[in-house]
Amino acid sequence: MQILMAAAEGLPFIKSGGLADVIGSLPFELTKKGHEVRVVLPLYLKIAQKHHQDFHLEKQFCIDINYRQAQVNIWATMVKDVKFYFVEHQGYFERESMYGYDDDGERFAYYQRAIVEMLNQLNYFPQIIHSHDWHTGMIPALCKETHGFDERYRNIRHVYTIHNLAYQGNFGPEMLNSCLGLEWRVFDNGNVRYDGGISFMKSGILYADKVTTVSPSYAQEILTPQYGEHLEAVLEMRKYDLWGIVNGIDIEDWNPKTDREIPYNFNKVNVIKKKKQCKNALQKEMGLEVKDDVMMVGVVSRLTWQKGFYLLMEQLSEICRMPIQLVVLGSGEAEIETKMVQLEEGNKGRIVFYRGYNESLAHRIYAASDLFLMPSLFEPCGISQLISMRYGTLPLVRETGGLRDTVDPYNEYEHSGNGFSFANYNSGEMIQVLWNAIHVYYDCPKNWKELVKNAMNTDVSWEKSAQIYDQLYHSLW
Ligand code: ADP
Ligand code: GLC
């Protein structure tokens, strides 16, 4: 089948979180199954600066947006056997960041209308458009409502994947006609209406032929008020078309045997010894006390409430008493960043906080850590715990969403598990499990070794999930 994936970020070009990991790996897995997959992304400043010389101009045209004409330049390049398109507009996308601007609604309305018109301009009509998250949630509605008279558009089937229901793309109603070119009818009948305005996320859920999210547990959770982010009733209407398919990772990019970003490569046999060497190297790099008999706990994350940082903050004094070293890499909410800076200052040599985004350092943290902490409030899937397991780093997670589906908690009687977990969003529970992990690490090294082996034996590849996407695509007719 011909499949076009539309998203707001994707590797190997740009990344802020797990969405980019998915867009950078799933298309390649699907091509292995015989599909012809193309990907479209916005041409952000950072992509243009780094890659522009590798792209060729495929098409230029204009679209109407906000009562004026806007130019669209479509650039393209091949990455292995996947074609990537880039939508260029200097005003909308050549900015410092990807998201977080007052006119994000207009920017991504432009992006989606440019994609829809691109199909016509290139005379490329895939059988399936697979859109991801709110930034591309309007594409099914645009194809069906504004182009429904054209059977080339009408024949396209739409899959919409929710990576995070908390970010919905909700905007004022005035955008509907001016930016999206849709009729008021779809506001009046409720299809895109949300809380007096419009919602890209809701529209994607209602107009797509199939809706997916990134783990079976999250697919269940979002039908409840606790996780539904006020869209649970809308999702309930689509529940028979809602699939939960867990993410994988690119096991070539994330491979401790060949990873060029880490100082000592390792495999299942020599992991314990080599991890210590990686740990020593990271301790030197980050200014931590250099010793290999200390348990290192790593965090690589967006610093947001979603990731459970409030649980950590409630227990800072307890964490400071623990016989561990803590390495945190991330950026995000100011309150969390400030707390992390203070924590580091009070615990020099034991706790270190690197504020920012750093892919290379992330690899070294995954490789050097013994435990990876991810006590999320909610987690649609989570990529970090999968990477951790691949590097023999045991994840300690809250049993929610994809964390529940991918981490099998340690069972001391059965000697089973590939990590640690706790059930409730409660800092006391988290601390109890953390103490237990510390106990196993120091007092039962044989058991720890077994868990590390189990983690590294866990299948975190796309193999099984790509198969399910394949079934999903076939179920569209
Ligand atoms: P989310 O997409 O919600 O942020 P995931 O666990 O799905 O969470 O994916 C996060 C991805 O982003 C992982 O690949 C992780 O290694 C990476 N990442 C997060 N923060 C940083 C950072 N500060 N520097 C480098 N990589 C990061
Ligand atoms: C979102 C979710 C994360 C998921 C990622 C990729 O960012 O927060 O849980 O792994 O998307 O699907």
Side-chain angles (χ1 to χ4, degrees):
M1 289 179 200
Q2 286 195 315
I3 302 157
L4 176 66
M5 298 251 179
E9 56 180 88
L11 287 173
F13 298 101
I14 194 130
K15 165 169 163 180
S16 78
L19 171 62
D21 289 294
V22 173
I23 299 301
S25 47
L26 176 59
F28 298 95
E29 292 298 321
L30 293 168
T31 58
K32 287 187 203 155
K33 304 221 165 298
H35 298 297
E36 195 227 270
V37 188
R38 304 187 194 184
V39 177
V40 56
L41 298 171
L43 188 66
Y44 300 109
L45 180 64
K46 286 204 175 95
I47 302 182
Q49 281 169 338
K50 203 162 157 207
H51 299 280
H52 213 275
Q53 68 284 0
D54 310 328
F55 299 167
H56 66 269
L57 187 61
E58 188 114 344
K59 204 81 195 176
Q60 290 185 296
F61 54 90
C62 282
I63 58 169
D64 289 328
I65 182 148
N66 221 356
Y67 310 110
R68 53 192 163 72
Q69 286 232 307
Q71 168 98 16
V72 181
N73 298 335
I74 302 290
W75 296 83
T77 194
M78 292 298 291
V79 180
K80 293 185 228 159
D81 37 15
V82 174
K83 185 165 196 169
F84 278 74
Y85 293 113
F86 298 88
V87 174
E88 180 187 22
H89 185 286
Q90 290 188 344
Y92 288 131
F93 296 124
E94 295 203 12
R95 304 182 186 184
E96 204 40 47
S97 306
M98 288 191 268
Y99 324 114
Y101 297 100
D102 287 345
D103 61 347
D104 275 359
E106 181 173 334
R107 295 170 72 223
F108 286 97
Y110 163 86
Y111 176 53
Q112 297 175 87
R113 291 186 75 184
I115 293 171
V116 172
E117 179 55 23
M118 175 185 93
L119 308 180
N120 178 41
Q121 294 285 335
L122 298 178
N123 195 23
Y124 159 63
F125 287 90
Q127 280 128 307
I128 297 168
I129 297 183
H130 188 159
S131 309
H132 298 262
D133 267 356
W134 73 263
H135 320 88
T136 55
M138 295 304 300
I139 291 178
L142 291 172
C143 289
K144 290 181 182 183
E145 292 288 355
T146 47
H147 292 71
F149 60 87
D150 183 337
E151 73 167 356
R152 296 174 308 167
Y153 282 94
R154 215 171 41 240
N155 287 339
I156 300 173
R157 298 286 194 273
H158 294 272
V159 174
Y160 180 58
T161 295
I162 302 166
H163 292 263
N164 195 334
L165 196 60
Y167 302 100
Q168 299 183 348
N170 298 335
F171 304 102
E174 66 288 348
M175 282 218 0
L176 185 77
N177 195 261
S178 61
C179 291
L180 291 161
L182 286 165
E183 290 174 14
W184 283 101
R185 184 173 50 80
V186 298
F187 180 83
D188 294 335
N189 68 16
N191 282 0
V192 303
R193 186 167 69 202
Y194 179 82
D195 197 20
I198 60 170
S199 169
F200 287 18
M201 178 65 87
K202 176 179 174 183
S203 175
I205 295 168
L206 284 183
Y207 277 95
D209 299 292
K210 292 280 179 196
V211 181
T212 79
T213 187
V214 285
S215 67
S217 286
Y218 193 61
Q220 293 295 316
E221 288 170 350
I222 56 179
L223 297 174
T224 68
Q226 194 187 346
Y227 292 94
E229 306 284 350
H230 306 292
L231 286 177
E232 59 275 11
V234 177
L235 285 157
E236 182 71 25
M237 287 196 266
R238 298 304 315 271
K239 79 173 174 195
Y240 298 109
D241 291 314
L242 174 64
W243 293 41
I245 308 173
V246 85
N247 291 329
I249 57 168
D250 184 325
I251 55 170
E252 294 306 317
D253 283 355
W254 295 105
N255 185 351
K257 279 191 226 163
T258 53
D259 192 329
R260 287 159 182 263
E261 305 289 351
I262 66 176
Y264 302 95
N265 292 110
F266 56 87
N267 55 35
K268 282 174 217 165
V269 178
N270 61 10
V271 49
I272 300 289
K273 184 167 145 224
K274 294 284 171 184
K275 194 179 260 298
K276 282 192 176 145
Q277 295 175 342
C278 288
K279 190 190 294 185
N280 288 159
L282 189 70
Q283 287 165 333
K284 282 185 202 138
E285 179 182 344
M286 306 289 286
L288 291 165
E289 222 179 298
V290 180
K291 48 183 189 178
D292 56 18
D293 58 350
V294 64
M295 177 174 175
M296 183 177 275
V297 179
V299 175
V300 178
S301 181
R302 291 183 293 117
L303 303 185
T304 68
W305 44 277
Q306 175 194 340
K307 300 295 176 179
F309 281 95
Y310 294 118
L311 296 188
L312 277 185
M313 287 186 191
E314 273 177 26
Q315 297 284 351
L316 290 185
S317 55
E318 183 76 4
I319 288 170
C320 294
R321 290 200 304 115
M322 289 175 160
I324 58 170
Q325 288 187 342
L326 178 65
V327 183
V328 180
L329 163 64
S331 64
E333 287 168 29
E335 192 191 340
I336 306 176
E337 290 186 357
T338 312
K339 268 274 169 358
M340 288 297 152
V341 171
Q342 288 167 355
L343 189 64
E344 174 183 299
E345 272 166 13
N347 296 277
K348 285 273 182 230
R350 290 202 329 107
I351 297 181
V352 64
F353 169 48
Y354 182 106
R355 181 175 167 276
Y357 182 86
N358 187 329
E359 278 186 34
S360 164
L361 178 59
H363 283 251
R364 289 192 293 286
I365 295 178
Y366 286 118
S369 302
D370 299 296
L371 194 81
F372 189 87
L373 191 57
M374 199 167 173
S376 303
L377 171 61
F378 65 94
E379 197 60 71
C381 178
I383 296 286
S384 297
Q385 83 281 11
L386 304 178
I387 302 173
S388 298
M389 290 193 269
R390 179 108 175 111
Y391 283 71
T393 304
L394 303 182
L396 191 161
V397 303
R398 187 169 94 82
E399 290 154 21
T400 182
L403 297 176
R404 193 173 141 209
D405 295 341
T406 57
V407 177
D408 179 22
Y410 170 54
N411 182 319
E412 63 180 306
Y413 305 105
E414 291 174 5
H415 293 268
S416 64
N418 53 20
F420 298 88
S421 69
F422 61 99
N424 297 303
Y425 190 69
N426 174 306
S427 65
E429 271 188 41
M430 177 188 74
I431 285 296
Q432 206 181 346
V433 177
L434 192 47
W435 272 118
N436 187 34
I438 291 170
H439 158 69
V440 180
Y441 180 81
Y442 286 109
D443 305 330
C444 322
K446 252 174 105 183
N447 295 12
W448 188 271
K449 228 173 170 172
E450 233 167 42
L451 288 175
V452 169
K453 209 170 83 204
N454 293 348
M456 290 182 88
N457 279 333
T458 305
D459 180 7
V460 293
S461 76
W462 272 104
E463 189 63 38
K464 272 192 234 130
S465 297
Q467 190 69 39
I468 305 176
Y469 275 110
D470 189 56
Q471 286 165 13
L472 171 88
Y473 294 150
H474 282 101
S475 76
L476 287 164
W477 283 272

